[in-house]
Short mmCIF file of all heavy atoms in Angstrom, two decimals:
data_model
loop_
_atom_site.label_atom_id
_atom_site.label_comp_id
_atom_site.label_asym_id
_atom_site.label_seq_id
_atom_site.Cartn_x
_atom_site.Cartn_y
_atom_site.Cartn_z
N ARG A 1 20.28 -31.34 21.62
CA ARG A 1 21.38 -30.45 21.24
C ARG A 1 20.94 -29.28 20.36
O ARG A 1 21.73 -28.68 19.66
CB ARG A 1 22.47 -31.20 20.51
CG ARG A 1 23.21 -32.18 21.33
CD ARG A 1 24.42 -32.62 20.57
NE ARG A 1 24.97 -33.84 21.10
CZ ARG A 1 25.93 -34.51 20.53
NH1 ARG A 1 26.43 -34.09 19.41
NH2 ARG A 1 26.39 -35.60 21.07
N LEU A 2 19.70 -28.96 20.38
CA LEU A 2 19.18 -27.84 19.58
C LEU A 2 18.54 -26.82 20.50
O LEU A 2 18.02 -27.15 21.57
CB LEU A 2 18.16 -28.33 18.55
CG LEU A 2 18.65 -29.35 17.53
CD1 LEU A 2 17.49 -29.85 16.70
CD2 LEU A 2 19.70 -28.71 16.63
N SER A 3 18.58 -25.59 20.08
CA SER A 3 17.90 -24.55 20.85
C SER A 3 17.12 -23.67 19.87
O SER A 3 17.37 -23.66 18.67
CB SER A 3 18.92 -23.71 21.62
OG SER A 3 19.76 -23.03 20.73
N VAL A 4 16.19 -22.91 20.40
CA VAL A 4 15.35 -22.04 19.60
C VAL A 4 15.59 -20.60 20.00
O VAL A 4 15.61 -20.28 21.20
CB VAL A 4 13.85 -22.38 19.81
CG1 VAL A 4 12.97 -21.38 19.09
CG2 VAL A 4 13.55 -23.79 19.34
N GLU A 5 15.81 -19.77 19.02
CA GLU A 5 15.85 -18.32 19.23
C GLU A 5 14.73 -17.74 18.38
O GLU A 5 14.73 -17.90 17.16
CB GLU A 5 17.20 -17.74 18.79
CG GLU A 5 18.34 -18.11 19.69
CD GLU A 5 19.63 -17.44 19.27
OE1 GLU A 5 19.59 -16.31 18.73
OE2 GLU A 5 20.69 -18.05 19.47
N ALA A 6 13.79 -17.10 19.02
CA ALA A 6 12.65 -16.55 18.29
C ALA A 6 12.11 -15.31 19.00
O ALA A 6 12.30 -15.16 20.22
CB ALA A 6 11.54 -17.61 18.18
N ARG A 7 11.47 -14.49 18.23
CA ARG A 7 10.81 -13.33 18.83
C ARG A 7 9.63 -13.81 19.67
O ARG A 7 9.05 -14.85 19.40
CB ARG A 7 10.29 -12.38 17.74
CG ARG A 7 11.38 -11.78 16.92
CD ARG A 7 10.89 -10.68 16.02
NE ARG A 7 9.86 -11.16 15.08
CZ ARG A 7 9.12 -10.36 14.36
NH1 ARG A 7 9.26 -9.06 14.45
NH2 ARG A 7 8.23 -10.84 13.52
N ARG A 8 9.29 -13.01 20.64
CA ARG A 8 8.14 -13.36 21.49
C ARG A 8 6.83 -13.16 20.76
O ARG A 8 5.82 -13.71 21.13
CB ARG A 8 8.14 -12.49 22.74
CG ARG A 8 9.28 -12.71 23.68
CD ARG A 8 9.13 -11.85 24.89
NE ARG A 8 8.00 -10.95 24.66
CZ ARG A 8 7.55 -10.04 25.49
NH1 ARG A 8 8.13 -9.87 26.63
NH2 ARG A 8 6.54 -9.27 25.21
N GLY A 9 6.84 -12.34 19.72
CA GLY A 9 5.61 -12.07 19.01
C GLY A 9 5.82 -11.00 17.96
O GLY A 9 6.94 -10.64 17.63
N TYR A 10 4.71 -10.46 17.47
CA TYR A 10 4.76 -9.41 16.45
C TYR A 10 3.56 -8.48 16.63
O TYR A 10 2.56 -8.85 17.24
CB TYR A 10 4.77 -10.01 15.04
CG TYR A 10 3.46 -10.69 14.68
CD1 TYR A 10 2.45 -9.99 13.99
CD2 TYR A 10 3.20 -12.00 15.05
CE1 TYR A 10 1.26 -10.61 13.70
CE2 TYR A 10 2.01 -12.61 14.76
CZ TYR A 10 1.03 -11.92 14.07
OH TYR A 10 -0.15 -12.52 13.78
N TYR A 11 3.70 -7.30 16.09
CA TYR A 11 2.60 -6.34 16.08
C TYR A 11 1.92 -6.39 14.72
O TYR A 11 2.59 -6.33 13.68
CB TYR A 11 3.10 -4.92 16.34
CG TYR A 11 3.46 -4.67 17.78
CD1 TYR A 11 4.77 -4.78 18.20
CD2 TYR A 11 2.48 -4.35 18.71
CE1 TYR A 11 5.11 -4.56 19.53
CE2 TYR A 11 2.80 -4.13 20.03
CZ TYR A 11 4.12 -4.23 20.44
OH TYR A 11 4.45 -4.02 21.74
N ALA A 12 0.62 -6.50 14.72
CA ALA A 12 -0.15 -6.42 13.48
C ALA A 12 -0.07 -4.99 12.97
O ALA A 12 0.13 -4.05 13.76
CB ALA A 12 -1.60 -6.83 13.73
N PRO A 13 -0.23 -4.79 11.67
CA PRO A 13 -0.23 -3.41 11.18
C PRO A 13 -1.38 -2.62 11.79
O PRO A 13 -2.44 -3.17 12.09
CB PRO A 13 -0.39 -3.54 9.67
CG PRO A 13 -0.76 -4.96 9.41
CD PRO A 13 -0.45 -5.76 10.63
N ALA A 14 -1.14 -1.34 11.99
CA ALA A 14 -2.19 -0.47 12.52
C ALA A 14 -3.21 -0.19 11.42
O ALA A 14 -2.87 -0.23 10.23
CB ALA A 14 -1.58 0.83 13.02
N PRO A 15 -4.44 0.08 11.79
CA PRO A 15 -5.44 0.40 10.76
C PRO A 15 -5.06 1.69 10.04
O PRO A 15 -4.47 2.60 10.63
CB PRO A 15 -6.74 0.56 11.55
CG PRO A 15 -6.34 0.72 12.97
CD PRO A 15 -4.98 0.13 13.13
N LEU A 16 -5.36 1.74 8.74
CA LEU A 16 -5.06 2.93 7.96
C LEU A 16 -6.07 4.04 8.25
O LEU A 16 -7.26 3.77 8.46
CB LEU A 16 -5.11 2.60 6.46
CG LEU A 16 -4.07 1.60 5.96
CD1 LEU A 16 -4.32 1.29 4.49
CD2 LEU A 16 -2.67 2.13 6.17
N THR A 17 -5.58 5.25 8.26
CA THR A 17 -6.47 6.40 8.40
C THR A 17 -7.14 6.66 7.07
O THR A 17 -6.69 6.19 6.02
CB THR A 17 -5.70 7.65 8.84
OG1 THR A 17 -4.81 8.02 7.78
CG2 THR A 17 -4.91 7.41 10.12
N LYS A 18 -8.19 7.46 7.07
CA LYS A 18 -8.87 7.81 5.83
C LYS A 18 -7.91 8.51 4.88
O LYS A 18 -7.90 8.25 3.67
CB LYS A 18 -10.08 8.70 6.10
CG LYS A 18 -10.76 9.12 4.80
CD LYS A 18 -12.17 9.57 4.99
CE LYS A 18 -12.85 10.07 3.76
NZ LYS A 18 -12.38 9.67 2.47
N ALA A 19 -7.05 9.39 5.41
CA ALA A 19 -6.09 10.09 4.56
C ALA A 19 -5.11 9.11 3.93
O ALA A 19 -4.75 9.25 2.75
CB ALA A 19 -5.33 11.14 5.38
N GLU A 20 -4.67 8.08 4.69
CA GLU A 20 -3.75 7.09 4.13
C GLU A 20 -4.43 6.24 3.06
O GLU A 20 -3.83 5.91 2.04
CB GLU A 20 -3.20 6.18 5.24
CG GLU A 20 -2.24 6.88 6.17
CD GLU A 20 -1.90 6.06 7.40
OE1 GLU A 20 -2.76 5.30 7.88
OE2 GLU A 20 -0.77 6.20 7.88
N ILE A 21 -5.70 5.90 3.28
CA ILE A 21 -6.45 5.13 2.29
C ILE A 21 -6.63 5.96 1.03
O ILE A 21 -6.41 5.47 -0.08
CB ILE A 21 -7.82 4.69 2.87
CG1 ILE A 21 -7.60 3.64 3.97
CG2 ILE A 21 -8.72 4.13 1.77
CD1 ILE A 21 -8.84 3.33 4.78
N ASP A 22 -7.02 7.23 1.18
CA ASP A 22 -7.19 8.12 0.03
C ASP A 22 -5.89 8.27 -0.74
O ASP A 22 -5.86 8.21 -1.96
CB ASP A 22 -7.69 9.50 0.47
CG ASP A 22 -9.14 9.48 0.96
OD1 ASP A 22 -9.84 8.47 0.72
OD2 ASP A 22 -9.56 10.48 1.57
N SER A 23 -4.79 8.45 -0.01
CA SER A 23 -3.48 8.60 -0.65
C SER A 23 -3.09 7.33 -1.40
O SER A 23 -2.59 7.40 -2.52
CB SER A 23 -2.44 8.94 0.41
OG SER A 23 -1.17 9.08 -0.18
N ALA A 24 -3.33 6.17 -0.81
CA ALA A 24 -3.01 4.90 -1.46
C ALA A 24 -3.86 4.71 -2.72
O ALA A 24 -3.36 4.23 -3.74
CB ALA A 24 -3.22 3.74 -0.49
N GLU A 25 -5.13 5.08 -2.65
CA GLU A 25 -6.01 4.96 -3.82
C GLU A 25 -5.54 5.88 -4.95
O GLU A 25 -5.55 5.50 -6.12
CB GLU A 25 -7.45 5.26 -3.44
CG GLU A 25 -8.09 4.16 -2.61
CD GLU A 25 -9.46 4.52 -2.07
OE1 GLU A 25 -9.91 5.69 -2.22
OE2 GLU A 25 -10.10 3.63 -1.47
N LYS A 26 -5.13 7.10 -4.60
CA LYS A 26 -4.63 8.04 -5.62
C LYS A 26 -3.36 7.50 -6.26
O LYS A 26 -3.18 7.58 -7.48
CB LYS A 26 -4.37 9.41 -5.00
CG LYS A 26 -5.62 10.16 -4.62
CD LYS A 26 -5.27 11.45 -3.91
CE LYS A 26 -6.48 12.07 -3.26
NZ LYS A 26 -6.12 13.22 -2.43
N LEU A 27 -2.47 6.95 -5.45
CA LEU A 27 -1.22 6.39 -5.97
C LEU A 27 -1.50 5.19 -6.87
O LEU A 27 -0.89 5.04 -7.93
CB LEU A 27 -0.30 5.99 -4.82
CG LEU A 27 1.07 5.46 -5.20
CD1 LEU A 27 1.85 6.48 -6.02
CD2 LEU A 27 1.84 5.07 -3.97
N GLU A 28 -2.45 4.35 -6.48
CA GLU A 28 -2.81 3.19 -7.29
C GLU A 28 -3.39 3.64 -8.64
O GLU A 28 -3.06 3.08 -9.68
CB GLU A 28 -3.83 2.33 -6.54
CG GLU A 28 -4.19 1.05 -7.26
CD GLU A 28 -5.15 0.19 -6.45
OE1 GLU A 28 -5.00 0.11 -5.23
OE2 GLU A 28 -6.06 -0.39 -7.07
N ARG A 29 -4.22 4.66 -8.63
CA ARG A 29 -4.80 5.19 -9.87
C ARG A 29 -3.69 5.76 -10.77
O ARG A 29 -3.69 5.54 -11.97
CB ARG A 29 -5.84 6.26 -9.56
CG ARG A 29 -6.53 6.78 -10.80
CD ARG A 29 -7.74 7.64 -10.47
NE ARG A 29 -8.37 8.06 -11.70
CZ ARG A 29 -8.60 9.31 -12.02
NH1 ARG A 29 -8.31 10.28 -11.19
NH2 ARG A 29 -9.17 9.61 -13.17
N LEU A 30 -2.73 6.46 -10.15
CA LEU A 30 -1.61 7.02 -10.89
C LEU A 30 -0.79 5.90 -11.53
O LEU A 30 -0.49 5.94 -12.73
CB LEU A 30 -0.74 7.86 -9.97
CG LEU A 30 0.50 8.51 -10.57
CD1 LEU A 30 0.13 9.53 -11.63
CD2 LEU A 30 1.33 9.17 -9.47
N ASP A 31 -0.44 4.88 -10.76
CA ASP A 31 0.32 3.74 -11.29
C ASP A 31 -0.42 3.06 -12.45
O ASP A 31 0.18 2.71 -13.46
CB ASP A 31 0.60 2.71 -10.19
CG ASP A 31 1.66 3.16 -9.21
OD1 ASP A 31 2.39 4.11 -9.52
OD2 ASP A 31 1.74 2.56 -8.13
N HIS A 32 -1.71 2.88 -12.28
CA HIS A 32 -2.53 2.26 -13.33
C HIS A 32 -2.48 3.08 -14.61
O HIS A 32 -2.34 2.53 -15.71
CB HIS A 32 -3.97 2.09 -12.85
CG HIS A 32 -4.90 1.65 -13.94
ND1 HIS A 32 -4.95 0.36 -14.39
CD2 HIS A 32 -5.79 2.36 -14.68
CE1 HIS A 32 -5.85 0.28 -15.36
NE2 HIS A 32 -6.37 1.47 -15.56
N GLN A 33 -2.58 4.39 -14.49
CA GLN A 33 -2.62 5.24 -15.67
C GLN A 33 -1.29 5.27 -16.42
O GLN A 33 -1.27 5.47 -17.64
CB GLN A 33 -3.05 6.66 -15.30
CG GLN A 33 -4.53 6.80 -15.17
CD GLN A 33 -5.27 6.34 -16.42
OE1 GLN A 33 -4.90 6.66 -17.54
NE2 GLN A 33 -6.32 5.56 -16.22
N VAL A 34 -0.19 5.08 -15.74
CA VAL A 34 1.11 5.07 -16.43
C VAL A 34 1.15 3.91 -17.42
O VAL A 34 1.65 4.06 -18.53
CB VAL A 34 2.27 4.97 -15.42
CG1 VAL A 34 3.59 4.72 -16.13
CG2 VAL A 34 2.35 6.24 -14.59
N LEU A 35 0.60 2.77 -17.07
CA LEU A 35 0.64 1.59 -17.93
C LEU A 35 -0.53 1.50 -18.90
O LEU A 35 -0.51 0.67 -19.81
CB LEU A 35 0.71 0.33 -17.07
CG LEU A 35 1.95 0.23 -16.18
CD1 LEU A 35 1.87 -0.99 -15.29
CD2 LEU A 35 3.23 0.23 -17.01
N ALA A 36 -1.53 2.35 -18.73
CA ALA A 36 -2.69 2.33 -19.62
C ALA A 36 -2.35 3.05 -20.93
O ALA A 36 -1.25 3.58 -21.10
CB ALA A 36 -3.88 3.00 -18.93
N ASP A 37 -3.31 3.10 -21.84
CA ASP A 37 -3.07 3.86 -23.07
C ASP A 37 -4.23 4.79 -23.42
O ASP A 37 -4.24 5.37 -24.50
CB ASP A 37 -2.74 2.92 -24.24
CG ASP A 37 -3.87 1.97 -24.55
OD1 ASP A 37 -4.93 2.04 -23.92
OD2 ASP A 37 -3.69 1.13 -25.46
N ASP A 38 -5.19 4.92 -22.51
CA ASP A 38 -6.31 5.82 -22.78
C ASP A 38 -5.94 7.26 -22.43
O ASP A 38 -4.96 7.51 -21.75
CB ASP A 38 -7.56 5.38 -22.02
CG ASP A 38 -7.35 5.33 -20.52
OD1 ASP A 38 -6.20 5.11 -20.08
OD2 ASP A 38 -8.32 5.52 -19.76
N GLN A 39 -6.72 8.19 -22.92
CA GLN A 39 -6.50 9.61 -22.66
C GLN A 39 -7.41 10.02 -21.50
O GLN A 39 -8.56 9.62 -21.44
CB GLN A 39 -6.86 10.44 -23.89
CG GLN A 39 -6.10 10.06 -25.15
CD GLN A 39 -4.79 10.77 -25.28
OE1 GLN A 39 -3.76 10.16 -25.14
NE2 GLN A 39 -4.83 12.04 -25.52
N LEU A 40 -6.89 10.82 -20.59
CA LEU A 40 -7.68 11.39 -19.50
C LEU A 40 -7.45 12.89 -19.48
O LEU A 40 -6.33 13.35 -19.71
CB LEU A 40 -7.26 10.82 -18.14
CG LEU A 40 -7.77 9.45 -17.76
CD1 LEU A 40 -7.24 9.07 -16.38
CD2 LEU A 40 -9.27 9.38 -17.76
N THR A 41 -8.48 13.63 -19.16
CA THR A 41 -8.35 15.09 -19.16
C THR A 41 -8.94 15.72 -17.91
O THR A 41 -9.53 16.79 -17.96
CB THR A 41 -9.03 15.69 -20.41
OG1 THR A 41 -10.41 15.26 -20.43
CG2 THR A 41 -8.35 15.23 -21.69
N ASP A 42 -8.78 15.05 -16.76
CA ASP A 42 -9.23 15.64 -15.49
C ASP A 42 -8.45 16.93 -15.20
O ASP A 42 -8.97 17.85 -14.58
CB ASP A 42 -9.00 14.68 -14.32
CG ASP A 42 -9.83 13.42 -14.42
OD1 ASP A 42 -10.78 13.38 -15.22
OD2 ASP A 42 -9.52 12.46 -13.69
N VAL A 43 -7.19 16.96 -15.62
CA VAL A 43 -6.33 18.14 -15.52
C VAL A 43 -6.03 18.54 -16.96
O VAL A 43 -5.75 17.69 -17.80
CB VAL A 43 -5.01 17.81 -14.78
CG1 VAL A 43 -4.05 18.98 -14.80
CG2 VAL A 43 -5.29 17.38 -13.35
N THR A 44 -6.08 19.84 -17.24
CA THR A 44 -5.80 20.30 -18.60
C THR A 44 -4.29 20.40 -18.78
O THR A 44 -3.62 21.20 -18.12
CB THR A 44 -6.46 21.67 -18.86
OG1 THR A 44 -7.87 21.55 -18.60
CG2 THR A 44 -6.25 22.10 -20.30
#
């Protein structure tokens, strides 16, 4: 008296492009710096 409803499958995420990896790394560095307390002067 039971039945199953399920998807046939799933798509794995596509590989990231170099631009997406670079963008993610920049965002991660930005997030890290918000919570840090050191001074950085890459930009004046």
